[in-house]
């Protein structure tokens, strides 16, 4: 199926989720997660009007960046090893997986430009998930002020692998509550306006709970 057709379906569902929760659809940006597909398919997403593309490996990013360059706003969405930072800096505008000070230090070492980061938080408590504990997040973000190029754009989480939608909702809601706590700290390096949450199977719940970036692979470009 064409990306354009899949995008229409997703846009309809975004509209519905927004109506149900009293939100403005313009607050929500779609990141097309292109990690499993070709550069040609990623380009199709751009042509359908998606501006944001997400990759979770440095080599996948490099391959597609070489073809598409700055026609897309690039997001790095996967767990990030410090030694790979140098391969993505200068290409990505957003990093969604900041979860340790050593990574913040490495990013800061590699650039003097501001890098928009999401702090990944494990709001589900699942052992298998990356991310900080919710209660560690505020202190972590405070400490990031010692790295001049780190900007905390927002928070990111992954829902648990479950059919239990109320558990998924709780995971997303916790991230929104945490964002309020961070915003109340009024830190100049951490405006923390964005919430990156929701994937193909759960983006409507994420929108109802305040997502501003949804990360969609399978149901958009798959
Ligand atoms: C792969 C991936 C997605 C997209 O998942 P789909 O279920 O294919 O929509 C979103 N976020 C992250 C971090 C991913 O690794």
């Amino acid at each position: 199926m064409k990306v354009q057709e899949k995008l229409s379906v997703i846009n309809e569902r975004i509209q519905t989720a927004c109506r149900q929760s009293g939100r403005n659809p313009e607050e929500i940006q779609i990141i097309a997660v292109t990690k499993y597909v070709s550069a040609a398919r990623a380009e199709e997403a751009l042509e359908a009007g998606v501006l944001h593309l997400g990759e979770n490996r440095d080599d996948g990013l490099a391959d597609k960046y070489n073809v598409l360059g700055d026609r897309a706003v690039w997001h790095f969405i996967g767990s990030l090893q410090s030694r790979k930072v140098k391969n993505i800096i200068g290409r990505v505008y957003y990093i969604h997986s900041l979860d340790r000070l050593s990574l913040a230090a490495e990013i800061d070492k590699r650039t003097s430009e501001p890098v928009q980061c999401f702090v990944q938080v494990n709001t589900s408590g699942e052992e298998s998930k990356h991310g900080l504990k919710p209660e560690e997040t505020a202190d972590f973000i405070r400490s990031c002020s010692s790295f001049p190029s780190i900007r905390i754009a927002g928070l990111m989480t992954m829902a648990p692998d479950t059919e239990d939608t109320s558990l998924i909702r709780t995971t997303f809601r916790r991230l929104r509550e945490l964002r309020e706590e961070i915003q109340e700290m009024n830190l100049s390096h951490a405006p923390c306006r964005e919430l990156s949450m929701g994937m193909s199977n759960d983006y409507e719940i994420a929108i109802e709970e305040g997502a501003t970036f949804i990360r969609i692979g399978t149901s958009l470009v798959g």
Side-chain angles (χ1 to χ4, degrees), residues 1-3 6-7 10 30-37 41-42 45 50 52-56 77 198-203 214-222:
M1 213 203 254
K2 291 206 176 99
V3 173
K6 292 180 161 226
L7 182 62
I10 292 168
I30 299 173
I31 303 168
V33 176
T34 50
K35 63 191 183 191
Y36 298 129
V37 302
R41 188 71 165 165
V50 177
H52 300 272
L53 298 185
E55 283 284 326
N56 70 341
I77 60 167
M199 318 197 327
S200 290
N201 289 330
D202 53 26
Y203 65 89
I214 54 177
R215 310 179 307 266
I216 306 193
T218 319
S219 65
L220 179 57
V221 292

Side-chain angles (χ1 to χ4, degrees), residues 15-222:
Q15 299 277 347
T16 306
C18 282
R19 249 193 321 274
Q20 263 156 17
S21 53
R23 295 193 63 202
N24 178 352
E26 286 174 15
E27 295 167 8
I28 294 133
Q29 313 245 41
I30 299 173
I31 303 168
V33 176
T34 50
K35 63 191 183 191
Y36 298 129
V37 302
S38 65
R41 188 71 165 165
E43 185 166 29
E44 204 189 318
L46 293 180
E47 280 161 3
V50 177
L51 176 63
H52 300 272
L53 298 185
E55 283 284 326
N56 70 341
R57 292 175 56 105
D58 63 331
D59 47 2
L61 172 71
D63 289 349
K64 294 194 182 73
Y65 188 85
N66 287 339
V67 180
L68 303 171
D70 291 327
R71 288 173 59 195
V73 175
W74 293 96
H75 296 246
F76 193 87
I77 60 167
S79 67
L80 179 56
Q81 293 170 279
S82 294
R83 65 190 171 84
K84 304 251 165 111
V85 167
K86 60 178 180 304
N87 304 340
I88 70 163
I89 285 292
R91 293 178 171 149
V92 296
Y93 191 80
Y94 291 98
I95 295 176
H96 288 242
S97 42
L98 181 60
D99 60 357
R100 56 196 191 278
L101 289 174
S102 58
L103 182 58
E106 177 64 18
I107 294 167
D108 189 55
K109 186 176 122 186
R110 296 288 172 183
T111 181
S112 51
E113 299 289 313
V115 180
Q116 303 293 329
C117 296
F118 286 82
V119 173
Q120 186 168 352
V121 187
N122 182 354
T123 51
S124 72
E126 276 194 322
E127 295 260 345
S128 62
K129 294 276 191 292
H130 291 270
L132 292 161
K133 294 196 175 105
E135 60 271 26
E136 300 168 338
T137 306
D139 278 346
F140 174 81
I141 289 177
R142 241 184 242 108
S143 304
C144 285
S145 66
S146 46
F147 305 109
S149 45
I150 300 288
R151 287 280 170 285
I152 307 297
L155 305 176
M156 180 272 208
T157 197
M158 311 259 292
D161 294 317
T162 174
E163 308 275 286
D164 182 348
T165 55
S166 72
L167 203 57
I168 294 172
R169 188 176 293 282
T170 306
T171 307
F172 292 149
R173 185 169 299 167
R174 184 77 191 85
L175 200 71
R176 171 160 51 86
E177 291 165 354
L178 202 50
R179 179 183 64 178
E180 274 159 40
E181 272 176 54
I182 308 297
Q183 287 182 337
E184 279 166 16
M185 301 192 310
N186 273 316
L187 302 170
S188 57
H189 72 289
C192 203
R193 293 193 186 95
E194 314 296 344
L195 292 175
S196 166
M197 56 190 197
M199 318 197 327
S200 290
N201 289 330
D202 53 26
Y203 65 89
E204 289 147 295
I205 303 173
I207 288 168
E208 288 167 11
E209 294 302 328
T212 63
F213 281 99
I214 54 177
R215 310 179 307 266
I216 306 193
T218 319
S219 65
L220 179 57
V221 292

